Amino acid sequence: MNFAPLPSVDVAAVPSDGFVLDVREDNEWTAGHVEGALHIPMSDFVARFGELTEAADDGRRVHVMCRVGGRSAQVTQYLVQQGIDAVNIDGGMLAWDGAGRPMVTDNGSPAFVL
């Protein structure tokens, strides 16, 4: 079988106003996340797929994020198969943090990657 390479981008290439989908679990999200990101844990993804399609119905590119890029790669592959313009963020939150990109928490505590 011939699989097309998974579309992916470096953290530096994600626009500051880009649409980020975070597929990490709740405890990872709580520790720190990208401001304005949509949070749908991979474990809930199929059940909550409608939330993503609603949020992305303007045709914006979806930048998929997890901790290091494995879970987000699976979700990106699924989205591309559904005809959605999605890219995997190489290196995930660890790369995001390493590049000094901003992170937030919902409770105001210092953000970190769990």
Side-chain angles (χ1 to χ4, degrees):
M1 287 189 180
N2 187 8
F3 291 104
L6 188 69
S8 62
V9 294
D10 187 79
V11 292
V14 179
S16 57
D17 62 349
F19 180 18
V20 175
L21 169 66
D22 191 323
V23 299
R24 298 174 303 146
E25 295 304 313
D26 290 338
N27 61 334
E28 295 173 285
W29 169 267
T30 301
H33 54 268
V34 177
E35 189 168 11
L38 175 63
H39 179 226
I40 303 178
M42 185 172 165
S43 54
D44 297 341
F45 193 75
V46 175
R48 294 176 58 189
F49 182 64
E51 290 176 46
L52 172 71
T53 55
E54 265 182 48
D57 70 355
D58 55 5
R60 287 185 291 172
R61 168 165 281 180
V62 179
H63 300 85
V64 189
M65 169 87 81
C66 68
R67 184 170 182 267
V68 292
R71 288 170 287 179
S72 55
Q74 294 175 52
V75 172
T76 300
Q77 188 171 30
Y78 176 78
L79 293 175
V80 169
Q81 289 169 348
Q82 307 305 312
I84 293 172
D85 179 13
V87 293
N88 188 33
I89 298 176
D90 279 335
M93 282 300 291
L94 288 176
W96 185 275
D97 187 31
R101 300 288 305 256
M103 299 188 304
V104 297
T105 60
D106 292 336
N107 61 11
S109 62
F112 66 97
V113 179
L114 187 64

